[in-house]
Amino acid sequence: MKRKILCFLITSLLILSTAPVFASSDSGQTIISLENIKNVMLDNSIEMKIAENNYKQTLQKYEDIKDAVDDLENDISSLKAPSDTESETYESEYESYKTKLSNLKSQLEAKEDEEESYKYTVKSAKINYRTTVENKVYSAKKEYVAYLSAVSDLQLMEDQLKSDQKELELYKKKYEYGFISKKEYDAKSTTTITSNDDYEAKKKKVELARNKLCFTLGLDINSDVVFDTNIEDTFSDILEINYEEDLQEMLSNNYDIKLKEIEINKLDDSEDTYDSDEVYDYDVDNADLSLESTKTNVELEFKEQYNTLISSYNKLKTTYDELNQSQIDYNIMKQKNLSGFASDKELSDKKLELDNKTSSFVSDKNNFLLTYLNYLQMKEGY
């Protein structure tokens, strides 16, 4: 990606970003951004807390198994054989000692096997926990971007409504002075009413989207929340994308690859349990082949996501160029209208065209953001 083009694009994105959205209440203020959504969810989301508890439960069970191993080792070391060989009960005491020692050693061996096996369960649980967290964070970020997009659309609809209301006032005066018919005035009045109804309906949808986002983040819908719309840092990060470096990072982080590697490690540790070296070798070969296949597949998927990101950027750049031209055309038409060389209808049509281009750009911007978030999620291994 070319730094010059992206810097130019970032400036336009910031200009077209909506203002921060506030929700008032008596509680403390929470600022939400793409960068801190994860921390907010870790602190507040019930689903996150459940996932964390499940992971901690696995860790606690592993600690309990290790404690049991220590206890059995202590029991064995503290078990003493009878020393009075002249005692009449020596034989029975010694047999009892051997039985207890044998039982303890059997229990210790079983518990050590359980400890060895469970360490892989812990590794898998850690990966699953991180994946659960990252997937939920990614879903929340998508909701966040969609919400900002809806707020943007609402702002455009509000601008359109204000424009329609001003035009209606003009139409009313024209009608009162006899310059237009009642039919023309009624048609404009109907358009304004429809515009108002659409705006109010969108306003309710935006409020519902906000409440849903708060629920996902684990925040009370009545809490004082600021949704930060400054995305400069996000687009600045894109300037630094290096696909080859990101690819290597993705391969080292990938969840599926890590699980395959755990399976290979388990095979290495279980070699002594095989009755046949040939069978063991086949299992190892299959595990290695499965790992290589997984690496190949995730690399192809990552490349595809990278290509999608580049395509999304190119589309955004095209949409921006169209928006920029539409803004120029509107400004020219505005000057013509002020000079009497263009009608109010022509100016209104240009304004509508500009609003449509702006709406398309905002939509493409948000799609680009989602594509970038997906790329980052894949790079982090999820």
Side-chain angles (χ1 to χ4, degrees):
M1 299 181 183
K2 301 297 184 183
R3 179 177 294 271
K4 184 184 296 185
I5 295 176
L6 264 174
C7 287
F8 181 61
L9 181 57
I10 289 170
T11 303
S12 68
L13 288 168
L14 294 175
I15 291 173
L16 288 169
S17 292
T18 58
V21 184
F22 293 85
S24 299
S25 77
D26 295 329
S27 61
Q29 187 181 83
T30 303
I31 299 176
I32 306 299
S33 68
L34 284 175
E35 287 72 29
N36 76 347
I37 278 180
K38 181 176 180 178
N39 290 334
V40 171
M41 292 183 73
L42 288 172
D43 289 340
N44 298 283
S45 170
I46 293 176
E47 289 186 332
M48 290 292 202
K49 293 183 185 299
I50 291 173
E52 183 181 11
N53 287 339
N54 290 337
Y55 176 51
K56 287 182 176 179
Q57 185 181 54
T58 302
L59 293 179
Q60 185 58 54
K61 185 174 180 180
Y62 186 51
E63 290 301 317
D64 291 344
I65 293 172
K66 291 197 293 184
D67 289 342
V69 169
D70 292 340
D71 290 341
L72 287 167
E73 288 175 342
N74 291 334
D75 289 344
I76 290 174
S77 63
S78 63
L79 187 64
K80 303 298 182 183
S83 56
D84 187 0
T85 57
E86 300 300 326
S87 171
E88 293 180 357
T89 59
Y90 174 76
E91 292 287 342
S92 62
E93 288 177 2
Y94 188 72
E95 287 300 320
S96 175
Y97 162 76
K98 288 197 300 181
T99 300
K100 287 182 180 178
L101 182 60
S102 177
N103 288 337
L104 286 172
K105 286 183 175 180
S106 295
Q107 292 177 43
L108 177 60
E109 183 179 357
K111 192 57 69 173
E112 285 177 335
D113 288 343
E114 185 179 1
E115 180 185 5
E116 181 66 21
S117 174
Y118 206 75
K119 73 180 182 181
Y120 296 110
T121 301
V122 171
K123 289 181 180 180
S124 297
K126 184 177 182 179
I127 293 173
N128 286 327
Y129 168 65
R130 288 179 175 175
T131 302
T132 298
V133 168
E134 293 302 327
N135 285 338
K136 291 187 181 302
V137 169
Y138 176 64
S139 295
K141 285 181 176 181
K142 287 199 297 183
E143 282 188 37
Y144 174 77
V145 171
Y147 171 67
L148 294 187
S149 178
V151 171
S152 245
D153 290 341
L154 182 64
Q155 183 62 54
L156 289 174
M157 293 179 74
E158 183 178 0
D159 291 343
Q160 182 61 51
L161 175 60
K162 289 178 179 178
S163 175
D164 288 341
Q165 289 172 337
K166 286 182 179 179
E167 285 191 23
L168 182 62
E169 291 177 4
L170 181 61
Y171 269 62
K172 184 179 180 182
K173 290 180 179 180
K174 286 182 177 181
Y175 171 65
E176 289 173 346
Y177 285 104
F179 294 119
I180 61 172
S181 66
K182 186 175 186 305
K183 182 179 179 181
E184 289 175 297
Y185 172 71
D186 288 344
K188 187 59 183 177
S189 178
T190 300
T191 298
T192 305
I193 291 173
T194 301
S195 182
N196 183 72
D197 290 344
D198 290 344
Y199 171 75
E200 291 300 327
K202 185 67 175 181
K203 192 174 180 181
K204 291 178 181 178
K205 288 182 179 179
V206 168
E207 183 64 21
L208 287 174
R210 176 202 173 277
N211 293 345
K212 185 174 182 293
L213 178 57
C214 285
F215 177 78
T216 299
L217 298 175
L219 300 174
D220 190 304
I221 62 173
N222 296 315
S223 58
D224 187 4
V225 180
V226 179
F227 293 100
D228 184 15
T229 61
N230 185 352
I231 58 173
E232 181 176 6
D233 291 340
T234 300
F235 281 89
S236 296
D237 289 342
I238 298 172
L239 297 174
E240 307 301 327
I241 283 181
N242 183 310
Y243 173 74
E244 292 302 326
E245 290 181 2
D246 287 351
L247 173 62
Q248 295 308 312
E249 185 175 346
M250 182 277 294
L251 291 173
S252 66
N253 292 335
N254 184 263
Y255 161 81
D256 292 322
I257 291 175
K258 285 182 180 293
L259 289 180
K260 295 294 182 182
E261 290 172 342
I262 288 175
E263 290 301 316
I264 290 176
N265 291 335
K266 287 173 70 175
L267 273 176
D268 291 342
D269 289 341
S270 64
E271 182 177 1
D272 294 339
T273 66
Y274 278 77
D275 296 327
S276 167
D277 289 341
E278 288 79 5
V279 173
Y280 172 75
D281 290 339
Y282 283 129
D283 282 348
V284 170
D285 285 343
N286 286 338
D288 288 338
L289 289 170
S290 180
L291 174 60
E292 288 305 312
S293 175
T294 299
K295 286 182 177 180
T296 300
N297 288 335
V298 297
E299 185 172 346
L300 289 172
E301 290 174 3
F302 190 61
K303 180 63 174 177
E304 182 179 354
Q305 184 58 39
Y306 175 74
N307 290 337
T308 301
L309 177 63
I310 298 301
S311 297
S312 181
Y313 164 74
N314 289 334
K315 187 173 188 295
L316 181 61
K317 179 62 174 64
T318 299
T319 309
Y320 170 76
D321 290 339
E322 292 174 352
L323 173 61
N324 190 45
Q325 184 59 51
S326 182
Q327 181 69 61
I328 293 172
D329 292 344
Y330 174 71
N331 289 338
I332 293 173
M333 184 62 70
K334 196 172 183 180
Q335 290 299 319
K336 287 183 177 181
N337 178 261
L338 290 173
S339 302
F341 294 108
S343 66
D344 291 343
K345 175 68 167 55
E346 289 175 306
L347 179 63
S348 177
D349 289 344
K350 280 296 178 185
K351 179 61 169 63
L352 180 59
E353 180 183 317
L354 176 61
D355 287 344
N356 289 335
K357 295 295 183 183
T358 302
S359 180
S360 295
F361 178 77
V362 169
S363 176
D364 286 344
K365 178 197 71 174
N366 291 320
N367 288 335
F368 178 54
L369 268 178
L370 291 176
T371 303
Y372 179 59
L373 291 176
N374 195 18
Y375 177 82
L376 287 183
Q377 187 189 40
M378 289 188 71
K379 187 178 79 167
E380 291 166 5
Y382 305 101

